[in-house]
Amino acid sequence: NAGVTQTPKFQVLKTGQSMTLQCAQDMNHEYMSWYRQDPGMGLRLIHYSVGAGITDQGEVPNGYNVSRSTTEDFPLRLLSAAPSQTSVYFCASWDISYEQYFGPGTRLTVT
Amino acid sequence: AQSVAQPEDQVNVAEGNPLTVKCTYSVSGNPYLFWYVQYPNRGLQFLLKYITGDNLVKGSYGFEAEFNKSQTSFHLKKPSALVSDSALYFCAVRDSDSGGGADGLTFGKGTHLIIQP
């Protein structure tokens, strides 16, 4: 049981490039979410999903897309990277207990 | 709307002393309250939660938290701090009136806990 996994761990992008951050969970959780963590700002919700095929926007969705074709996977796509998207990104999954399980994070730098 | 506040950016405690990390919340319904811990370069780890029942909740690593409805608080406590408790702590809340619940939790900005030997 690996829990929540994220790849890559580190990434450097140039402004305007696109990329996909991968997230997978093996706990059969219905709910998954993406957060970004910036110093002094806590975790802010980007997008979330209530199940395969269903996604919705969180607090800071601009510049990001998501899809959920399976229960296990919830990739986050950066369409055209900007320096303001430099951050640490966390994926989480949870069930109706609301106890969220977090991945180890992806540290993204956009130059 | 739900919100949570952690009024202290940093808390310093000597090893062996009791520690408290403060959290207050705002919800329109009943709160579901959580504490998470983050060690350097790691993801968040669940410590404890309050959904209903006893106001004193016990969690991992000897931590506990007290739910106080009148003060809308959920402070994290430990009777005797260890140097290894040094980390970033997040309080989170969910409003029971938030409908389907799929958008998850609202997190505070975090409190750095530093335990001095």
Side-chain angles (χ1 to χ4, degrees), chain A residues 98, chain B residues 1-3 25-34 92-106:
Chain A
Y98 299 110
Chain B
Q2 60 200 35
S3 65
Y25 66 89
S26 176
V27 296
S28 56
N30 293 313
Y32 302 158
L33 293 156
F34 300 79
V93 67
R94 170 152 188 81
D95 191 338
S96 65
D97 281 355
S98 294
D103 55 338
L105 305 175
T106 297

Side-chain angles (χ1 to χ4, degrees), chain A residues 57-80:
Chain A
Q57 297 180 351
E59 180 186 355
V60 288
N62 292 341
Y64 307 95
N65 269 357
V66 291
S67 60
R68 185 123 178 249
S69 57
T70 67
T71 300
E72 293 78 21
D73 300 301
F74 191 43
L76 177 73
R77 280 182 288 277
L78 278 70
L79 309 173
S80 177

Side-chain angles (χ1 to χ4, degrees), chain A residues 31-33 35 37 40-43 45 48-50 57 88 90 94 97-105 107, chain B residues 32 34 36 38 41-46 49 51 88 90 94 99-110:
Chain A
Y31 306 132
M32 296 185 74
S33 58
Y35 295 91
Q37 183 180 22
M41 302 192 73
L43 276 75
L45 182 66
Y48 63 95
S49 169
V50 303
Q57 297 180 351
V88 182
F90 289 101
W94 74 100
S97 74
Y98 299 110
E99 179 182 328
Q100 297 200 5
Y101 293 82
F102 284 81
R107 188 174 295 272
Chain B
Y32 302 158
F34 300 79
Y36 286 82
Q38 185 181 32
N41 301 312
R42 302 286 295 276
L44 276 69
Q45 297 177 31
F46 171 80
K49 68 181 177 184
I51 303 296
L88 182 58
F90 289 97
R94 170 152 188 81
D103 55 338
L105 305 175
T106 297
F107 286 83
K109 296 186 178 194

Side-chain angles (χ1 to χ4, degrees), chain B residues 40-100:
Chain B
N41 301 312
R42 302 286 295 276
L44 276 69
Q45 297 177 31
F46 171 80
L47 275 180
L48 51 79
K49 68 181 177 184
Y50 170 84
I51 303 296
T52 187
D54 195 350
N55 289 346
L56 185 63
V57 179
K58 294 188 183 298
S60 306
Y61 312 121
F63 284 94
E64 58 190 26
E66 186 167 12
F67 170 63
N68 187 318
K69 187 171 184 177
S70 63
Q71 297 186 7
T72 61
S73 67
F74 190 57
H75 301 331
L76 181 70
K77 301 181 180 184
K78 187 173 182 182
S80 179
L82 300 173
V83 172
S84 57
D85 293 331
S86 298
L88 182 58
Y89 290 80
F90 289 97
C91 183
V93 67
R94 170 152 188 81
D95 191 338
S96 65
D97 281 355
S98 294

Side-chain angles (χ1 to χ4, degrees), chain A:
Chain A
N1 189 335
V4 179
T5 58
Q6 291 182 238
T7 56
K9 291 187 178 179
F10 302 94
Q11 184 70 50
V12 179
L13 292 178
K14 295 186 188 303
T15 297
Q17 287 184 318
S18 63
M19 78 159 295
T20 299
L21 307 184
Q22 301 293 343
C23 174
Q25 54 98 4
D26 61 1
M27 296 171 283
N28 202 33
H29 286 163
E30 287 185 75
Y31 306 132
M32 296 185 74
S33 58
W34 277 101
Y35 295 91
R36 59 178 290 173
Q37 183 180 22
D38 302 293
M41 302 192 73
L43 276 75
R44 292 182 292 169
L45 182 66
I46 304 171
H47 286 284
Y48 63 95
S49 169
V50 303
I54 308 171
T55 64
D56 206 344
Q57 297 180 351
E59 180 186 355
V60 288
N62 292 341
Y64 307 95
N65 269 357
V66 291
S67 60
R68 185 123 178 249
S69 57
T70 67
T71 300
E72 293 78 21
D73 300 301
F74 191 43
L76 177 73
R77 280 182 288 277
L78 278 70
L79 309 173
S80 177
S84 61
Q85 294 179 304
T86 294
S87 187
V88 182
Y89 291 85
F90 289 101
C91 179
S93 73
W94 74 100
D95 57 19
I96 58 171
S97 74
Y98 299 110
E99 179 182 328
Q100 297 200 5
Y101 293 82
F102 284 81
T106 295
R107 188 174 295 272
L108 175 68
T109 302
V110 183
T111 61

